[in-house]
Amino acid sequence: MSQSSIIGQRIPKLDAPDKAMGLATYGHDIRLPGMLHGRILYSLYPHARLTHVDTSQAERLPGVKCVLTAADNPPTRFGFAKDSTPFKGDVVRSLQDEVAGVVAVDLDTAEEALTLISVEYEALPAVFTPAEAMVEGAPLIHQERGTNLFRSYKYNHGDVAAGEANSDVVVESSYRMPYVTHACMETSVVVAQFDHRDHLKLWSTTQIPFLLQRDLSEALGIPGSQIRIIQTSIGGAFGRGLDIYPYEPIVALMARKAGKPVRVAFSRWEEFTASPTRQPAEATVRAGANKDGLLTFRDVSISLDIGAYVSWGSVTPLVMMETTASLYQVAHVRFQANCIYTNNPITGAMRGYGNPQSTFFIETIMDQLAEALDIDPVTFRIRNANVPNSETPQGLIITSCGMKECLTAVAAAADQGLQWRDAPKEKRSKANVGDLTGRHTLNQLNEIRAIPSPKVKRGIGFASTLNVGGGARIYRSDGCGATVKVDDFGHVTLVTGSTEIGQGSETVLAQIVAEALGVTIEDVSVFNSDTDVKPWDVGVHASRTTFIAGNAAHLAALEARSQIFETAAELLNVEPARLEARGGIIWVRGDEDRSISMSKVVRRRHFREDGKVVVGDGWYDPPTKMVDKDTYKGNISAAYGFGSQMADVEVDIETGLVRVLRLVCANDVGRAINPMAVEGQIEGGAQMGLGYALTEELIVKEGKVLNPDFVDYRLFTTADMPEIETIIIETDDPGGPFGAKGVGEMGGTPTAAAIANAIYDAVGLRLTELPMTPERVLTRLEEEQNQ
Amino acid sequence: MKKLVNLSVNGDPYELFVDTRRTLLDVLRNELNLMGTHRGCDSGDCGACTVHVNGLPMTSCLLLSVDWDGADILTVEGLLDGNQMHPVQQALVKQGGVQCGFCTPGVVMNALALLKDNPHPTEVEVRAWLAGNLCRCTGYVKIVEAVMSIDGDMI
C-alpha cells in the first residue's frame, strides 16, 4: 500500500455538524412559496372493483384546490413490469392502492377532504399467500397477465443428483422469512413544482435520481429533459428509494393540476403500510457434504410473495442465487425461485437485497451439515471457504477475498469470550488469528448481561456472508460520473453522481479526492444533490458507492492533478513525473526546496493568455457483465466483500426470550478508507440484522399491516443492543479505490443465521422461522419436550 | 379554535395565536421555522422530536402547545454558540454517532438532559436513558460511545 495521510483516517462525516446542530435541510423541512399540501386516499379493500368514485363534496370544501383520481392518470403505465399507474382506476389490488388524492391549502383541510370522497367498491376474491395465488383458478391480480406467477428463476451448475450420490450426509429443511420494512427515521417525502416552461422540479427521498428522472418521464409522459430531481439530506434509505413508487408521479400530477408546488410527506402509518417492504419468502433447502468435510451439493427452491405490483425487488432472486451458488465452494447447485403476485403489500429492495433471506437458510444448513459430519462449524466453513483469485462455477470472479481471515477472527474472538463454559468443547476451533491487519475493539457490557440461572442456556453460533463489493450490474450501466474542480484559491469541489443517504459517501469520496490531489480534507467540498448539475449515476445501492463512485472521483482527481502538475512542471522547470503534492503544496521529489503552492499554480494556469481552469472529469463503469438471461451466470461485480459473525446468546427456556450478549463481526472491506464509517455501516447493519433475527415482522393479515407503528414493530434500541465488536479485515482489492470494496449491506446479512445457530448450540433447537420471537422459541421448546 | 400562547423558545419570547389541536412540535416547525426538531412518528415512540420543556426532556409531538403557556422551551438550535457546536453535538460528530442525522437532534437533547442530571453516567445508565431514541443507521454503538466521552461537569 502506498504511503498516505488521509486514507485510513477516522474523519468525522462532513455533513455531521449541520445535522447535529439541527441545521441540515431534509425533505420534511422544504417550504416553497405558495406550496400546497397533498394527501392520498388508499383502498379499503385488498382486491375490489371500483364501481364509483365521487369527489364532488371534497372539491367543494373551502381550501381544497383540486382532487385527483385515475381520470388524471397519463395513459402510460410505469414500474419494473409496467403494472402500475399513479391512481388505480377499475380495480384495486392491495390496501395500498391509491384511489384518489387531494391538494389543499393545509394538511387539516386535505385530511378532511379525504373523508368527503365517496368510493364504492365491489369486493373481489383475493389471495394472500403465494400458495393460494398459484392454485388453479385462483383470482388473478393482473387479469391481462393470465397468471399470478410474475417470473421464475432457474439456475443450475454441475449435477445435483450426482452431487447427492457422492454425499455422506444430506440435510433438508424448510424456512419461512417475514415481511420487514426499512423503518427509516424520516418518512418518505416528495415535493413537486412545475415552472413556466412546464419543467418539473422534484425533491425526493429517492436513491436513484437519474433512473427516477427516466421513470417519471415514462409515468408522466413528459420528456426526461424537462425533469430535474433534487435530493435534500435524506433521513435513511436502506433500499426504500430504489425504485419509482406511485406517490412520486402522484405528487407531480398534483402539482401540475394545482398549478402550485405540492408536498406529500408520509405519516408513520403510511410509511409502514404504503412504502415497499422486504419480500417474505418460503424456502426448501437440501444440501450435502462428504466425509472430508467438503460441500457436495445444494438444492434450493424458494417462493417470494412480491405483493400486488412488481418493483426492482423482484430481482432479489439474483442475489439469493448468488448466495446459494457461490457462498462457499459447491460443485453442484440447483436454484429455483418463483416471484408471485398476491393482494399483499408491495415489496421492494431492502438492504442486502435477498441476501439476508438466503444467508439465513444457507448458513443454518451449513451448521446442520457440520453437525452431521461432527466437524467444528468454523473448521467446516474454512474448509469450504471462497478463496482469492478464483472463479466460482456461477462465473463470479473473486479477486481479493478475506473469508478465511474473517472466520478465523470471529472464532478467535469467540474463544476469548468463552470463560463461561466449564470446559470449552474440544471440537471448537482454536484457529490462530494470524497476521490480521484489522482493528479489534471490545466493549465489555457485563453489567447488562442476564443473571445466570439454570433456566438460561447459553450458546454461540457462526455465519458468513458473500456480498457484491464492486458494484452490481443489474442495469445496463453500472457507472458513475464525477467532476473535480480546483479553484483559484486551492479549494476543491467534487461533483459526484452518487447520492448521500447517511452512509458517509460524501466523506469517503472527499478523502479519495484529497488523497489523489494532495490537499487536506478541509480543502474539499462535495456536491451530490441535483440531476441538472451532477453527472449520471445508476443509484446508491448494492454497496457500490465507495467502489464505483470512489473510482470515478479518483479518476477525476487524477485528471485535475495532471492539469495542475503540467503547469507546476513548467513553473518549476522539471518533468511532471517528478512532482508530488501534499497539503496543497507541490514539490520536486528529492529536491523539496523547490516547491510551489497548488493555488498559485492554478492561478498561473488560469490568468494568462490562453489560460485554462482546472477541471477533471472521471467516469467509471466496472468491467462486469449482466448475468446471462438464461443461465444467470456471469461476473456481476468487480469485487466481492466477505464477512463472518459470531453470536453469543442466552435462551431463557421458561420465557423463550433470546438475548444476544455479544455479536462479533469481521468484514473483509478491501481497505477501510474511513474505519469509523466502515464500523458505522457494520454496526448499523447489525441493528437491522438483530431485528430481522429476533423482533421485526410486519404482521400482515388479509393484506392488512396490523402493526404499523414503533410500539408493535420493534426496532432494537440502545437498551436491547448487545455488545458489538467489529473487526476490519483488509485485503487490498486490486480494482477498488486505494484497495477498498463495498461494505454497506454486509453488516446485517449473516446475523439471523449466526443467532439461529447459537440458539441451537444453547438449547438444541433448529429455528427455521423468523423472527425468532419468545413465542416461537417457547412453542418449539414445548414441542420438543412433548416428544 | 385558537388560543393565545406565550412561549419562551431558546430564550426568545413568542406570543402565538395557536389552534388548540397543534402540538408543540407543530408550533416549533411550522410557526417558528425551527426545523431541527424532527417529526419521526408523531406518536412519542421515536424520540426525534425531543426538546427540553422547563428543563425536562419531552417528545414535543405529544404536547399540545396550549397546555404549555408560559413554558421555557429549549431546542437543538438553542444549544449553539453562534455557529459553534455544543459539546454534546461535538461528541456525536467526532465519534461517528451521526449518519443520516434524522434522530440526532433528539439524541442530543435527551443526552444533554441525562448529563445535566448525572454528569458521569455508566454505560448501562446511558443505554437505559437513550432507549427512547430510535436510530436506524448507527446501531447506537457510536452514539453511546459519544455520550460516554463527554465530561458532564463541563456542560
Side-chain angles (χ1 to χ4, degrees):
Chain A
M1 282 174 217
S2 62
Q3 278 198 333
S4 57
S5 61
I6 298 168
I7 302 301
Q9 281 195 25
R10 305 172 70 81
I11 308 247
K13 221 172 160 314
L14 301 185
D15 63 4
D18 273 355
K19 287 173 169 176
M21 291 191 285
L23 303 178
T25 299
Y26 293 85
H28 277 242
D29 305 334
I30 293 174
R31 304 286 186 270
L32 301 176
M35 188 178 81
L36 301 170
H37 298 267
R39 294 296 287 156
I40 295 168
L41 182 70
Y42 297 96
S43 171
L44 286 177
Y45 288 81
H47 200 194
R49 204 176 302 286
L50 287 180
T51 53
H52 189 63
V53 181
D54 181 357
T55 61
S56 55
Q57 257 193 298
E59 281 163 26
R60 283 198 294 272
L61 183 71
V64 170
K65 294 296 180 182
C66 58
V67 181
L68 296 87
T69 64
D72 296 284
N73 283 345
T76 48
R77 293 172 152 249
F78 67 88
F80 187 82
K82 305 282 175 282
D83 61 2
S84 195
T85 54
F87 296 104
K88 307 318 186 258
D90 302 335
V91 176
V92 286
R93 301 174 180 85
S94 79
L95 287 164
Q96 300 149 316
D97 276 32
E98 300 81 358
V99 173
V102 170
V103 179
V105 290
D106 56 38
L107 271 178
D108 286 344
T109 309
E111 290 278 2
E112 189 181 347
L114 287 187
T115 68
L116 299 176
I117 298 172
S118 150
V119 185
E120 287 170 23
Y121 300 88
E122 183 187 307
L124 293 169
V127 288
F128 302 112
T129 64
E132 281 170 40
M134 293 306 289
V135 166
E136 180 103 23
L140 292 174
I141 314 300
H142 295 274
Q143 280 293 338
E144 70 282 4
R145 301 187 70 94
T147 171
N148 289 326
L149 177 65
F150 167 65
R151 183 182 273 185
S152 281
Y153 291 82
K154 285 192 172 68
Y155 170 87
N156 190 74
H157 75 242
D159 177 351
V160 167
E164 180 155 1
N166 291 328
S167 302
D168 295 305
V169 294
V170 173
V171 294
E172 183 173 328
S173 200
S174 293
Y175 297 86
R176 188 186 163 276
M177 281 75 71
Y179 271 107
V180 289
T181 187
H182 313 80
C184 303
M185 296 319 299
E186 182 193 29
T187 59
S188 305
V189 187
V190 176
V191 181
Q193 181 179 37
F194 282 89
D195 70 9
H196 65 280
R197 301 168 299 173
D198 205 28
H199 286 201
L200 170 64
K201 191 171 170 185
L202 186 119
W203 290 257
S204 169
T205 39
T206 187
Q207 294 173 245
I208 48 157
F210 292 97
L211 298 191
L212 183 62
Q213 194 182 18
R214 194 212 59 170
D215 291 343
L216 273 175
S217 159
E218 195 173 82
L220 297 168
I222 59 177
S225 58
Q226 296 179 13
I227 298 172
R228 178 180 177 189
I229 310 291
I230 311 276
Q231 293 159 294
T232 56
S233 289
I234 294 176
F238 315 113
R240 171 186 69 180
L242 202 62
D243 210 340
I244 184 172
Y245 290 102
Y247 57 83
E248 286 159 323
I250 281 175
V251 183
L253 292 173
M254 286 173 163
R256 170 173 269 174
K257 188 161 184 177
K260 289 273 176 63
V262 174
R263 168 180 180 268
V264 169
F266 271 14
S267 67
R268 183 53 64 182
W269 172 81
E270 275 177 304
E271 189 71 13
F272 271 109
T273 58
S275 67
T277 55
R278 178 181 289 161
Q279 304 71 21
E282 290 184 11
T284 303
V285 184
R286 195 170 164 80
N290 63 26
K291 276 187 296 204
D292 298 330
L294 296 175
L295 293 167
T296 46
F297 81 99
R298 278 183 192 147
D299 193 359
V300 168
S301 174
I302 185 160
S303 84
L304 282 79
D305 180 348
I306 55 170
Y309 300 92
V310 165
S311 81
W312 274 98
S314 65
V315 183
T316 54
L318 284 182
V319 177
M320 298 176 177
M321 184 188 298
E322 188 179 287
T323 316
T324 305
S326 297
L327 174 62
Y328 303 103
Q329 302 184 54
V330 202
H332 308 285
V333 170
R334 183 163 58 196
F335 173 93
Q336 169 174 314
N338 288 331
C339 297
I340 297 161
Y341 280 117
T342 66
N343 295 109
N344 280 329
I346 51 165
T347 62
M350 184 170 163
R351 198 178 198 172
Y353 202 68
N355 215 348
Q357 296 99 310
S358 50
T359 302
F360 174 58
F361 56 70
I362 290 296
E363 276 291 6
T364 48
I365 279 282
M366 285 295 285
D367 242 43
Q368 291 188 48
L369 288 169
E371 189 196 16
L373 290 165
D374 197 23
I375 302 178
D376 159 72
V378 173
T379 306
F380 179 60
R381 286 179 169 85
I382 287 177
R383 208 169 284 178
N384 290 284
N386 300 102
V387 294
N389 305 313
S390 60
E391 182 171 350
T392 76
Q394 192 184 9
L396 308 189
I397 296 168
I398 293 171
T399 51
S400 62
C401 172
M403 192 178 190
K404 287 181 184 173
E405 290 87 341
C406 289
L407 279 160
T408 310
V410 294
D415 282 350
Q416 285 171 13
L418 285 180
Q419 298 88 340
W420 51 273
R421 285 180 185 259
D422 292 330
K425 288 178 192 167
E426 272 305 305
K427 64 178 184 177
R428 219 167 274 287
S429 169
K430 295 286 183 198
N432 191 352
V433 182
D435 57 346
L436 298 175
T437 54
R439 202 179 72 92
H440 197 239
T441 61
L442 193 62
N443 264 345
Q444 289 298 347
L445 279 175
N446 292 323
E447 291 167 90
I448 58 168
R449 289 187 169 180
I451 300 158
S453 120
K455 299 295 183 191
V456 175
K457 306 289 183 192
R458 195 157 169 182
I460 60 170
F462 299 88
S464 293
T465 176
L466 156 74
N467 286 255
V468 290
R473 191 175 291 275
I474 57 168
Y475 196 73
R476 294 186 301 275
S477 171
D478 195 18
C480 177
T483 301
V484 167
K485 178 189 88 167
V486 185
D487 75 11
D488 301 328
F489 310 101
H491 185 75
V492 179
T493 305
L494 166 68
V495 183
T496 172
S498 71
T499 293
E500 172 59 29
I501 50 173
Q503 83 281 38
S505 66
E506 89 303 7
T507 309
V508 164
L509 297 177
Q511 285 179 260
I512 289 169
V513 168
E515 184 69 17
L517 269 177
V519 297
T520 67
I521 192 81
E522 289 78 18
D523 292 327
V524 184
S525 354
V526 180
F527 189 93
N528 54 14
S529 57
D530 186 340
T531 55
D532 266 11
V533 179
K534 66 181 190 174
W536 195 86
D537 174 64
V538 75
V540 52
H541 65 84
S543 308
R544 68 187 284 281
T545 300
T546 296
F547 193 99
I548 306 283
N551 270 329
H554 193 207
L555 290 170
L558 290 178
E559 191 186 315
R561 190 181 71 168
S562 77
Q563 294 169 12
I564 294 167
F565 277 16
E566 182 187 62
T567 303
E570 288 166 21
L571 297 171
L572 295 170
N573 199 24
V574 291
E575 287 298 306
R578 284 193 61 198
L579 295 175
E580 283 186 5
R582 176 82 62 221
I585 305 292
I586 299 165
W587 67 88
V588 180
R589 193 182 308 110
D591 188 3
E592 297 191 5
D593 290 342
R594 286 166 74 192
S595 67
I596 189 166
S597 78
M598 195 176 284
S599 58
K600 189 170 182 183
V601 174
V602 175
R603 288 194 296 273
R604 295 288 289 269
R605 185 179 172 84
H606 180 182
F607 298 109
R608 65 183 185 191
E609 288 173 10
D610 199 23
K612 289 174 186 156
V613 291
V614 175
V615 181
D617 285 323
W619 166 259
Y620 180 76
D621 193 12
T624 52
K625 294 177 185 165
M626 288 186 86
V627 293
D628 183 273
K629 64 181 172 42
D630 299 317
T631 66
Y632 298 106
K633 289 176 184 167
N635 190 38
I636 195 171
S637 182
Y640 295 87
F642 298 87
S644 300
Q645 293 188 354
M646 188 285 295
D648 178 351
V649 311
E650 282 179 348
V651 183
D652 185 322
I653 59 171
E654 283 188 330
T655 64
L657 182 73
V658 176
R659 180 194 288 269
V660 181
L661 303 176
R662 190 170 169 229
L663 189 70
V664 182
C665 315
N667 287 270
D668 164 18
V669 302
R671 186 158 182 212
I673 288 176
N674 185 331
M676 188 161 76
V678 169
E679 288 160 17
Q681 287 303 298
I682 295 166
E683 291 156 1
Q687 191 261 11
M688 283 190 180
L690 286 157
Y692 193 51
L694 295 173
T695 60
E696 292 184 35
E697 177 173 15
L698 271 186
I699 299 167
V700 177
K701 193 163 186 195
E702 298 192 346
K704 189 178 172 72
V705 176
L706 299 183
N707 55 339
D709 58 64
F710 286 130
V711 172
D712 295 315
Y713 185 92
R714 297 297 294 191
L715 306 186
F716 265 61
T717 70
T718 45
D720 307 317
M721 285 296 286
E723 172 191 335
I724 306 280
E725 185 180 335
T726 55
I727 301 169
I728 295 174
I729 306 285
E730 295 194 311
T731 52
D732 199 12
D733 188 79
F738 299 101
K741 300 190 279 194
V743 65
E745 293 165 288
M746 284 198 281
T749 303
T751 313
I755 292 171
N757 293 338
I759 293 171
Y760 180 79
D761 190 41
V763 295
L765 285 180
R766 291 276 176 210
L767 286 154
T768 54
E769 187 170 1
L770 297 179
M772 297 175 282
T773 57
E775 187 183 2
R776 287 191 177 123
V777 173
L778 207 55
T779 305
R780 287 290 311 279
L781 279 166
E782 283 168 359
E783 281 169 12
E784 208 75 7
Q785 279 163 5
N786 293 339
Q787 276 175 9
Chain B
M1 189 176 70
K2 288 195 168 186
K3 268 189 160 180
L4 204 59
V5 179
N6 280 285
L7 295 173
S8 163
V9 181
N10 300 333
D12 296 325
Y14 291 92
E15 189 178 56
L16 301 159
F17 196 48
V18 182
D19 188 313
T20 52
R21 297 170 300 171
R22 293 284 90 87
T23 63
L24 180 59
L25 176 62
D26 293 331
V27 168
L28 293 172
R29 289 182 60 80
N30 298 337
E31 310 281 333
L32 305 185
N33 206 29
L34 291 169
M35 296 294 186
T37 305
H38 292 157
R39 187 189 307 274
C41 67
D42 239 3
S43 53
D45 301 323
C46 78
C49 68
T50 303
V51 299
H52 291 191
V53 179
N54 296 331
L56 293 174
M58 297 192 188
T59 46
S60 58
C61 72
L62 292 185
L63 306 179
L64 284 173
S65 49
V66 291
D67 286 345
W68 296 90
D69 188 38
D72 194 4
I73 313 294
L74 180 67
T75 73
V76 69
E77 293 94 342
L79 302 185
L80 306 183
D81 178 8
N83 59 4
Q84 296 302 302
M85 288 185 275
H86 183 275
V88 176
Q89 295 165 321
Q90 280 174 16
L92 281 160
V93 169
K94 183 164 172 264
Q95 302 285 334
V98 180
Q99 286 190 31
C100 89
F102 199 78
C103 74
T104 308
V107 171
V108 167
M109 297 312 289
N110 205 15
L112 177 61
L114 168 66
L115 293 167
K116 279 186 169 168
D117 188 54
N118 178 359
H120 300 284
T122 65
E123 181 163 348
V124 173
E125 286 170 332
V126 171
R127 285 182 176 273
W129 187 274
L130 292 180
N133 292 89
L134 295 178
C135 168
R136 196 55 155 165
C137 296
T138 64
Y140 310 104
V141 177
K142 299 198 181 325
I143 291 176
V144 173
E145 281 174 7
V147 177
M148 295 295 294
S149 75
I150 301 164
D151 181 351
D153 290 328
M154 302 299 285
I155 60 173

